[in-house]
Amino acid sequence: MAHDNAQTAGIDWSDPHAFHHDPSGHHDEHDNLHPHVTPWQHLVFVLLALLFFTALTVFAANAEAWAVSMGVHITHFWNVVIAVSIAVVKASLVCMFFMHLKYDTPLNTMVLLTTLFVFGLFLMFTSIDLGKRGMVNPVKAQIIQPGGNGIGMVKGGGNLGANITTARKKQAIERLAATIAADHGRDTPNEEDLAEANKEFWFEFYHHKVEDHHGEIPPRHLDDTENIHAEWLAHHRRELDARRVSDASHSRPKHGLTPGLFDTEDPQDGREHDGGHGVEQNAHTGGADGEH
Amino acid sequence: MTAINTDKPVGESAGRKQMPWERYVQGHHWRNAEDEFDAAKFGMWLFLSTEILLFAGIFVGYAIMRMLHPQAFSNGSHYLDVRWGGLNTVVLLISSWTVAMAVRAAQLNQQKWLRVNLIITLICAIAFFSIKLGLEYIPKWSVGKRPGALFNYPFASDPYEPMWWSIYYTATGIHALHVLVGAGLLTWVLVRSFKGIYGPKNYAMVETSGLYWHLVDLIWIFLFPLLYLIH
């Protein structure tokens, strides 16, 4: 990099051989670019900083495991926040110096920031939707979990700390058992109840499979050991399918937007029909009470 | 102050043929060379914004699937080897630096350094792709760690691990595709640089191809922690 010493500092690099150099001082501005040339020392420094931050983020990821071995449990939240924050710092360095945004017209930076803003909206509204479904219908909330710990991948991983996932699954199974028991008017389901629920589930499962594919695809069996993955999926879906309700990861459509519209039995059967006026009357009465 | 010896004749009268970049003139519809250059760069940034939005869909998909099936994704990141991901990160960072140096060399008419930096970048691109394919894709695919319905790994411990592999192969696969496209662009720049096309008056192609390569690096900067580091 011999060009960078003080002797050559005054050279017009867009015309280093002075082809267009006019001794009279009339310089043709219209033909030349006047770029900002980043000093190579800056670029080397940025590269070293990027490598440093790469080492740091790997170190931070390992630190979680070390902390666990010393009895400190770093939550999954901080694991994510640290990793993504370091990535943002690295990306900013690349954008500012390697991509010259620091020295460019601000228009290019505006394009990038606008894009990132749209990305933020995309992520935010999707996350809010998924995270807050439980506020509308509690049964849709239980699948969303804060984080896994790779417990299935580590021998003796049961010592890693609170296994949230297992607790949630246990909770879901208990709720399912309670639902089955309630169907039979009991506090806890007995063997026959569970067997019946299981049979009911498989009937529904096969029925919908066959119906969806017009009978072209044969139903899968639990002893279809050649497709062990299909077996797992089917087994896992049992809990949710048995309840026949939508949750965060499976949508079970009803017939039409109006609940009960196509039901063969009147859902209000056995109750006194008010002809739809009851709600209005109650609301009116409530309002009148509030005024007094 | 200038180091050029003005006693000697300069320009065409020196008996030296001008290089192509020296003869470059901006399109007649541009007010000046700088307007043309800035417009080209702005156009490249607009294109890069659409690329960012393409990967935004993948990142949001990753976030949603991770929220729904954290155990599967936690298992999934344990399957990956941080050493190869880290090595690929270093390879891409170095290649990004050499591209920045190549742009600088073009700005300063250092033709030799322009080519050297571009060649190092292409070697890095080949290294990245070789590591990705030979040490990650092939060993994983061959034991059944495949996306979605192709999944055939007998020792998985979570039923949603196929979903993890779908996200993994989609994200890194589209990224690897961008590595190939970027390497193709830079190869084109390298070939043309041997003809002396790029220099201080004409380096928009070096700059915009470089921006594309930096974007590839940017995406990997986020993919690396999300896939390999977050358990």
Side-chain angles (χ1 to χ4, degrees), chain A residues 1-4 6-21 29-41 43-47 50-51 54 57-58 61-62 64 76 79-80 83-84 86-88 90-92 94-95 97-101 104-105 107-109 111-112 115-116 118-119 122-123 126-127 130-131 143-154 163 165-166 169 226-229 232-233 236-237 240 248-250, chain B residues 1-4 6 10-12 14 16-19 21-22 24-26 31-35 37-38 41-43 45-46 48-50 52-53 55-60 63-71 74-76 78-79 82 86 89-90 93-94 96-97 100-101 103-104 107-110 113 117 148-149 151-162 199-204 207 210-212 214-215 217-218 221-222 224-226 229-231:
Chain A
M1 300 300 171
H3 286 297
D4 290 301
Q7 291 178 346
T8 57
I11 283 191
D12 175 8
W13 283 110
S14 61
D15 186 21
H17 301 294
F19 287 119
H20 304 287
H21 180 67
E29 290 287 331
H30 290 272
D31 282 350
N32 293 334
L33 297 171
H34 305 284
H36 175 269
V37 182
T38 316
W40 65 270
Q41 294 94 335
L43 295 179
V44 171
F45 184 78
V46 170
L47 174 66
L50 288 169
L51 294 176
T54 305
T57 192
V58 174
N62 290 333
E64 189 189 20
H76 185 259
N79 185 222
V80 175
V84 174
I86 293 175
V88 167
K90 286 166 71 184
S92 305
V94 170
C95 285
F97 294 99
F98 286 177
M99 300 173 97
H100 301 151
L101 275 186
D104 259 3
T105 159
L107 193 62
N108 294 340
T109 311
V111 170
L112 177 64
T115 312
L116 294 179
V118 172
F119 178 26
F122 186 13
L123 185 60
T126 319
S127 302
L130 203 64
I143 277 274
I144 301 164
Q145 298 155 8
N149 52 21
I151 204 155
M153 309 306 300
V154 185
N163 187 351
T165 311
T166 308
K169 277 181 182 165
E226 286 186 10
N227 197 341
I228 195 164
H229 166 51
W232 275 331
L233 283 183
H236 191 79
R237 282 174 189 151
L240 299 167
S249 50
H250 298 91
Chain B
M1 188 186 78
T2 172
I4 307 270
T6 48
V10 295
E12 296 283 1
R16 187 178 72 79
K17 198 186 171 193
Q18 280 188 327
M19 292 176 77
W21 69 262
E22 289 170 294
Y24 179 79
V25 187
Q26 73 271 15
R31 186 173 52 182
N32 54 43
E34 232 167 297
D35 274 10
F37 179 83
D38 286 347
K41 201 167 178 181
F42 180 61
W45 270 105
L46 284 179
L48 293 190
S49 71
T50 66
I52 292 171
L53 290 177
F55 281 98
I58 294 173
F59 283 129
V60 170
I64 296 305
M65 299 308 173
R66 173 142 221 148
M67 278 193 271
L68 289 175
H69 311 295
Q71 194 65 61
S74 180
N75 293 352
H78 279 87
Y79 286 131
V82 180
T89 309
V90 171
L93 288 176
I94 290 173
S96 223
W97 177 70
M101 291 298 280
V103 171
R104 186 177 179 280
Q107 287 172 332
L108 298 180
N109 192 28
Q110 299 167 344
W113 286 109
N117 279 307
F151 184 80
N152 198 21
Y153 183 60
F155 304 109
S157 64
D158 191 284
Y160 286 94
E161 280 180 25
K201 285 178 74 175
N202 178 25
Y203 70 99
E207 174 86 34
L211 284 179
Y212 188 88
H214 292 311
L215 179 90
D217 186 32
L218 276 184
I221 282 175
F222 285 96
F224 172 58
L226 291 181
L229 294 182
I230 296 175
H231 296 323

Side-chain angles (χ1 to χ4, degrees), chain A residues 128-142:
Chain A
I128 289 174
D129 171 36
L130 203 64
K132 300 295 178 190
R133 284 182 192 184
M135 294 174 71
V136 181
N137 187 349
V139 81
K140 297 185 179 181
Q142 64 183 7

Side-chain angles (χ1 to χ4, degrees), chain A residues 33, chain B residues 24 37 40-41 44 99 103 106 114 118 182 184-190 192-193 197-199 201-212:
Chain A
L33 297 171
Chain B
Y24 179 79
F37 179 83
K41 201 167 178 181
M44 193 63 196
V99 162
V103 171
L114 169 62
L118 285 176
L185 281 173
L186 291 173
T187 308
W188 188 25
V189 172
L190 178 65
R192 278 162 59 101
S193 77
I197 288 174
Y198 300 118
K201 285 178 74 175
N202 178 25
Y203 70 99
M205 178 73 191
V206 187
E207 174 86 34
T208 48
S209 307
L211 284 179
Y212 188 88

